[in-house]
Amino acid sequence: MPEHIVPIKTYAEVLAALLVLTATTCGVSFIDMGKMNAVVAMVIAFAKASLVALIFMHLRYSRRLTRVVAAAGLFWLGILIALTMSDYLTRGWQ
Amino acid sequence: MAETSVADRHTHSAARAHQFDDAGQQRDAVTMGMWVFLVTEIMFFGGLFASYVVYRALYPMAFAVASQELDIKLGTLNTAVLLVSSFTMVVAVFGSQTGSRRMLVGGLAMTVALGVVFLVIKFFEYYQKYVERHIPGPSFAFPEPYTQPAKMYFTLYFAMTGLHAAHMIVGCGLLTVLIVMAWRGRFTPEYHSPVEVSGLYWHFVDIIWIFLYPLLYLIGRHLE
């Protein structure tokens, strides 16, 4: 597979988006939204991580096998946290 | 055709290992191998993230109150420093792909410099925590009723940011080796996998910080 070369302009746009998202997540953390604070912070963090993984780490232009490997990491982390919390969050009702 | 490909295989032996058919196949294999390593790194940090989720779920108020003790200005500044360093890293990768040694060496040098800036800022944050007696141990101090769960918060804070900082130090070392190699002209548009995979490592460490920043610095700000 020939190597895909991403133009510097795209990288610069991604950096600008990342900095704007950082300022946004910092700003909204001072507003009291109850439980939504954590949700908004995590949504923005995942958006930033996706930008870095897809463009800076070239996942968007990588082979499907590489993308499956990367997604597997996220999936296994999900198993780790979901199964752990399925224990801790269900201890209080006996 | 067969003769030229055999000859070709031997003239490029410095850049390409024998088991690969062509440079593209080798590059794909190297990239995927690095991603497999990064998945093990996700699970390495994952244990700490899972611990964090458990203790934050158990002691939400203590975590929010303890989080306010961190310096949000330095935390946000460090986030920006790391994001810019990821940009200078991709500039270096671009330089290696297009054969620009100036962009490659310059990008790598800028990335290492920003990595060192991050670590220096982190050091001052740690020192501030030492002065405020927020380092878990015999001299740990935090107002009741949150003393014990706050100690858990700071244990996770130092474990997570410490492991992250250790990765930054390794990354700076890797990139310094790359600067020397690039300076000696070891990389070409056909062969620059070390630059590409070291970049993947650097961006991975950046992604870890992208999650550490809101989880550690931002959770209690609206209580102020």
Side-chain angles (χ1 to χ4, degrees):
Chain A
M1 194 161 121
E3 194 172 26
H4 183 97
I5 298 179
V6 183
I8 293 286
K9 186 167 170 285
T10 308
Y11 289 142
E13 286 163 0
V14 169
L15 174 64
L18 289 170
L19 292 174
V20 168
L21 284 170
T22 302
T24 309
T25 192
C26 181
V28 297
S29 72
F30 286 92
I31 305 164
D32 191 352
M33 296 180 290
K35 291 199 164 163
M36 285 306 288
N37 275 91
V39 175
V40 170
M42 280 301 98
V43 166
I44 293 177
F46 269 103
K48 287 165 72 182
S50 305
L51 278 175
V52 173
L54 289 173
I55 312 296
F56 284 179
M57 298 173 90
H58 302 153
L59 265 191
R60 193 181 159 193
Y61 319 101
S62 297
R63 293 172 73 207
R64 198 168 293 169
L65 185 58
T66 307
R67 282 189 255 171
V68 168
V69 169
L74 203 61
F75 184 67
W76 255 258
L77 181 65
I79 293 176
L80 174 69
I81 292 175
L83 291 189
T84 304
M85 293 317 287
S86 73
D87 172 1
Y88 277 97
L89 293 180
T90 51
R91 285 185 181 189
W93 49 271
Q94 71 271 44
Chain B
M1 190 63 200
E3 281 170 30
T4 51
S5 79
V6 168
D8 183 58
R9 202 163 292 177
H10 287 279
T11 50
H12 285 85
S13 57
R16 191 172 75 230
H18 286 290
Q19 66 268 34
F20 297 111
D21 289 337
D22 55 54
Q25 190 192 40
Q26 169 166 307
R27 205 170 46 231
D28 288 340
V30 169
T31 303
M32 203 195 74
M34 190 63 192
W35 271 102
V36 171
F37 169 69
L38 292 183
V39 169
T40 71
E41 288 275 86
I42 291 175
M43 299 316 287
F44 186 17
F45 278 95
L48 286 168
F49 278 106
S51 311
Y52 173 92
V53 173
V54 168
Y55 282 99
R56 184 169 164 190
L58 291 176
Y59 308 105
M61 269 314 284
F63 268 49
V65 172
S67 163
Q68 289 178 50
E69 296 298 320
L70 298 187
D71 190 326
I72 190 169
K73 289 199 187 81
L74 290 182
T76 310
L77 175 66
N78 249 354
T79 306
V81 166
L82 263 198
L83 292 173
V84 175
S85 84
S86 262
F87 173 74
T88 58
M89 185 68 229
V90 288
V91 169
V93 170
F94 181 86
S96 75
Q97 289 171 329
T98 53
S100 164
R101 204 193 296 189
R102 196 175 61 91
M103 284 176 92
L104 171 55
V105 174
L108 289 172
M110 283 290 291
T111 309
V112 173
L114 288 165
V116 171
V117 167
F118 177 93
L119 288 168
V120 169
I121 293 174
K122 201 78 222 144
F123 171 80
F124 280 110
E125 281 191 79
Y126 279 178
Y127 180 71
Q128 194 59 35
K129 291 299 111 195
Y130 167 74
V131 170
E132 292 165 358
R133 298 175 60 176
H134 286 156
I135 296 181
S139 63
F140 181 80
F142 200 87
E144 289 290 352
Y146 297 126
T147 312
Q148 287 307 315
K151 191 185 274 185
M152 197 64 225
Y153 169 85
F154 281 109
T155 300
L156 284 165
Y157 166 76
F158 282 107
M160 294 171 104
T161 60
L163 187 62
H164 178 267
H167 278 77
M168 294 286 299
I169 293 167
V170 170
C172 287
L174 279 175
L175 298 191
T176 306
V177 172
L178 286 186
I179 291 173
V180 175
M181 290 172 78
W183 190 262
R184 291 178 180 169
R186 292 279 297 279
F187 303 121
T188 61
E190 290 74 39
Y191 176 72
H192 52 264
S193 283
V195 181
E196 170 77 19
V197 296
S198 302
L200 290 180
Y201 176 86
W202 192 265
H203 299 311
F204 167 80
V205 176
D206 191 10
I207 287 179
I208 294 293
W209 185 262
I210 284 173
F211 285 100
L212 291 183
Y213 170 63
L215 290 178
L216 295 172
Y217 286 81
L218 301 181
I219 55 179
R221 295 297 155 183
H222 58 276
L223 301 172
E224 281 174 8

